[in-house]
Amino acid sequence: MIRSSRLLATAAVALVLAGCGGTSSDTSRDAAGDPVSGGTATVIQITEPRSLDPAIMSNTWPFNAFLGNALYGTLMINKPETGEIEYKLAESFTTEDNGATFELRLHEGLTFSDGSPLNAEAVKFNWDRIKDPSLGSASIPEASLVSSTEVVDATTVKVTLVAPVPNYAQAVVSTSMNWIGSPAALQKGQQAFDTNPIGAGPFTVDSWTRQDRIELVRNAGYWDAPRPYLERIVLRTNTDSNQRVNTLISGGADVVIDTNWETIARARDMGYDTEVQPLNGGQYLAMNARRAPFDDVRARKAVAAALDVGAMNQSVYNGKGEVPTTLFTESSPYFVDAPLVRPDKAAAQRLFDELAAEGKKVSFTFKSFPSPESKAASESVQAQLSAFRNVEVKVQTIDHTDSSKLVATKDFEMVISSALFVDPEPRLWAVFHGDSRSNMSGIDDEQLNVALEKGRTSTNEQDRKAAYDAVQQRLTELVPGVFYTRGSPAAVLGKNVYGAVQYGNGSLLPEELWIQP
């Protein structure tokens, strides 16, 4: 086993993530000094996993990213500010043919927590099985870009893609492909694996009491000593943002993983360190172009022009949220200072009247998740549109567990979804390309598809920027949805807790956390 210094969502996930509703600079570490080993941290997550199988878990912050990182470590991570790849369990991930094939090379001597080798065979086994539809992995869209995997030697895997994707490392980083479980343990079946999951991460499972807590203990054989710094982690679940932060404030937790701009601001105002990873895109009101009324672009444009996203921000986040006026943030190399939608109430009413005169009155149901944020968003839309003639909105609350069914059936008119990303690949293609199973809006536009494909396959930044300029222009014309808030991948730290480091879609690294006695 080696000792070394540190190097570096699908539609269902996007739906639930959206329903949950600055940079990750870690300046606190500099102020506190060097990391200290020891201690137990109580961490509150948002959702409990249905399984500890790495293929089934989701590598996004509101779900099980923190737990997945704890049990399995990471092959690689990216820097939130730039998207630059840093290697961890992997030593390199390179292409010499512009993304048609890649070579993944592991560090030598890696082992799972039971002492068995983490080698190229293990990577191949994990990546191949993610594509099995019976598993229901959220990472199938990204894993399906791989045509074949071939073991070259003990530490090297050759990866051949269906079509060239020069930036494919970003797909690995943001999905469960970044986590490798023991093939021998996984082959024993889900029940056995959940009882004794075997990975190569900084922590192992000591106990799991469902609907209560997961207790993790330091992996003494972790490859990247002296990490992890904590001896134990007690992982608890609470779906209510206010309750999560209140528990931290009262001393019942050391770290809270959160999604709500309002409670994040409250914690920050009280002096708690809140690390929020900046992401492009955001959460949006997906309008289903496969069926009436949104199969007519005028209906989509009318709703977009009628809604005041600033008022939504006030209703949902008490004005504390970050409203996305553009697809990319100003710090992105793909930023274009052109709004995705232009509110115009007079134009909206003209379109509503025009459609009604043709027998196409805009009437739809907004399917909302039960979280406070989702309910507030749906109620804001309903209230705002009630001020217009010839439009009717009903709200139907559905359970989070129905998200996978919704993705499969596309049985909705409006629902909250998300397109959150550091690098636009692979998320933008997955959300808006006509061939993608994660395309909730149902937009299938030739010009948009071509631009997304160029953005995916271009090998230089100038061509990529031109492609994503075209993507933004076409999205403005097609209006597949209304972006109303940026994502808020947040970690709120207790006042003696340091080392919050995030990557991908707000994925928090447990091995970096430490407590000042």
Side-chain angles (χ1 to χ4, degrees):
M1 178 166 37
I2 70 174
R3 303 290 190 192
S4 159
S5 61
R6 172 176 160 234
L7 301 167
L8 192 167
T10 64
V13 168
L15 284 173
V16 184
L17 185 156
C20 292
T23 46
S24 180
S25 58
D26 194 23
T27 54
S28 59
R29 174 188 292 180
D30 296 332
D34 294 332
V36 176
S37 294
T40 298
T42 297
V43 178
I44 303 184
Q45 61 181 354
I46 300 166
T47 56
E48 184 174 70
R50 60 187 176 96
S51 171
L52 300 182
D53 184 332
I56 296 175
M57 298 170 72
S58 170
N59 198 355
T60 51
W61 93 97
F63 296 93
N64 311 125
F66 180 82
L67 178 58
N69 293 334
L71 298 180
Y72 307 108
T74 53
L75 290 171
M76 55 190 107
I77 65 176
N78 59 5
K79 291 184 177 180
E81 301 86 351
T82 64
E84 179 186 353
I85 297 296
E86 297 185 12
Y87 297 102
K88 303 276 273 184
L89 291 165
E91 187 175 84
S92 62
F93 188 59
T94 57
T95 179
E96 296 182 355
D97 51 15
N98 296 324
T101 63
F102 284 83
E103 183 179 271
L104 175 70
R105 185 176 294 276
L106 300 169
H107 288 293
E108 293 186 2
L110 294 173
T111 63
F112 290 110
S113 58
D114 65 354
S116 60
L118 195 175
N119 53 22
E121 289 282 2
V123 174
K124 174 179 171 59
F125 177 87
N126 279 261
W127 283 20
D128 289 352
R129 74 188 290 269
I130 289 175
K131 294 190 287 186
D132 180 357
S134 67
L135 284 176
S137 174
S139 302
I140 284 180
E142 292 82 6
S144 295
L145 295 174
V146 176
S147 173
S148 64
T149 55
E150 175 189 347
V151 173
V152 177
D153 56 41
T155 60
T156 310
V157 184
K158 180 181 179 182
V159 181
T160 302
L161 301 187
V162 175
V165 184
N167 295 280
Y168 190 66
Q170 302 292 343
V172 177
V173 160
S174 61
T175 66
S176 60
M177 295 179 72
N178 211 16
W179 300 328
I180 306 301
S182 162
L186 287 164
Q187 287 171 334
K188 293 179 181 179
Q190 182 175 316
Q191 184 174 354
F193 191 84
D194 285 347
T195 301
N196 185 30
I198 303 297
F203 293 89
T204 61
V205 173
D206 187 40
S207 65
W208 180 13
T209 305
R210 291 181 184 267
Q211 308 304 319
D212 184 15
R213 67 180 65 197
I214 302 173
E215 298 199 19
L216 308 175
V217 63
R218 185 180 191 275
N219 177 7
Y222 184 57
W223 72 280
D224 195 16
R227 298 171 181 83
Y229 303 111
L230 297 169
E231 283 296 326
R232 299 181 68 88
I233 293 175
V234 178
L235 194 59
R236 309 199 71 161
T237 302
N238 193 317
T239 59
D240 187 284
S241 180
N242 279 307
Q243 291 180 14
R244 288 194 297 270
V245 172
N246 287 341
T247 302
L248 180 80
I249 293 169
S250 66
D254 301 289
V255 179
V256 166
I257 297 167
D258 209 70
T259 63
N260 187 294
W261 284 110
E262 183 178 4
T263 53
I264 294 166
R266 178 162 64 91
R268 182 184 292 118
D269 291 345
M270 294 181 69
Y272 290 90
D273 185 12
T274 57
E275 302 292 337
V276 182
Q277 179 176 320
L279 292 175
N280 295 295
Q283 295 174 190
Y284 67 100
L285 309 172
M287 295 181 279
N288 194 347
R290 304 172 185 86
R291 61 202 284 180
F294 297 127
D295 55 350
D296 191 316
V297 68
R298 292 175 297 173
R300 303 197 300 271
K301 288 184 174 181
V303 169
L307 291 177
D308 180 347
V309 291
M312 285 190 66
N313 180 36
Q314 191 65 44
S315 300
V316 181
Y317 301 115
N318 199 26
K320 302 296 186 180
E322 184 179 335
V323 177
T325 57
T326 56
L327 184 61
F328 293 91
T329 64
E330 291 187 25
S331 62
S332 170
Y334 309 110
F335 172 74
V336 175
D337 190 12
L340 288 169
V341 295
R342 297 182 184 277
D344 187 333
K345 296 184 183 299
Q349 187 62 71
R350 286 196 298 271
L351 286 170
F352 286 136
D353 292 344
E354 181 180 309
L355 288 162
E358 297 175 13
K360 298 180 178 181
K361 179 181 177 179
V362 177
S363 177
F364 65 92
T365 298
F366 188 143
K367 291 194 173 181
S368 166
F369 292 103
S371 70
E373 296 96 322
S374 184
K375 292 172 68 176
S378 62
E379 290 165 1
S380 178
V381 170
Q382 186 180 47
Q384 288 194 50
L385 293 184
S386 68
F388 293 84
R389 300 184 306 275
N390 293 318
V391 57
E392 180 183 22
V393 184
K394 297 178 182 178
V395 175
Q396 176 187 355
T397 302
I398 62 173
D399 194 79
H400 285 308
T401 56
D402 292 329
S403 59
S404 295
K405 184 189 300 183
L406 208 62
V407 172
T409 63
K410 306 297 189 296
D411 182 20
F412 70 94
E413 282 96 44
M414 177 179 283
V415 72
I416 298 174
S417 191
S418 65
L420 304 167
F421 51 92
V422 175
D423 189 275
E425 179 58 33
R427 191 66 192 145
L428 273 188
W429 191 99
V431 174
F432 294 121
H433 194 283
D435 291 341
S436 171
R437 287 175 288 186
S438 298
N439 181 342
M440 292 301 291
S441 69
I443 291 294
D444 188 2
D445 176 76
E446 183 177 358
Q447 293 180 52
L448 179 59
N449 291 344
V450 168
L452 288 167
E453 287 160 6
K454 286 182 177 178
R456 164 167 281 187
T457 59
S458 293
T459 57
N460 66 74
E461 279 303 299
Q462 184 177 357
D463 289 345
R464 277 195 105 200
K465 185 172 189 333
Y468 288 118
D469 285 353
V471 167
Q472 293 173 84
Q473 179 180 349
R474 200 65 189 139
L475 288 176
T476 300
E477 296 166 354
L478 294 168
V479 197
V482 180
F483 283 86
Y484 69 95
T485 188
R486 295 279 188 212
S488 52
V492 185
L493 309 182
K495 293 188 176 180
N496 64 335
V497 182
Y498 305 91
V501 178
Q502 296 167 295
Y503 76 93
N505 292 327
S507 195
L508 183 65
L509 295 173
E511 66 267 30
E512 300 288 351
L513 293 173
W514 60 280
I515 295 176
Q516 181 74 61

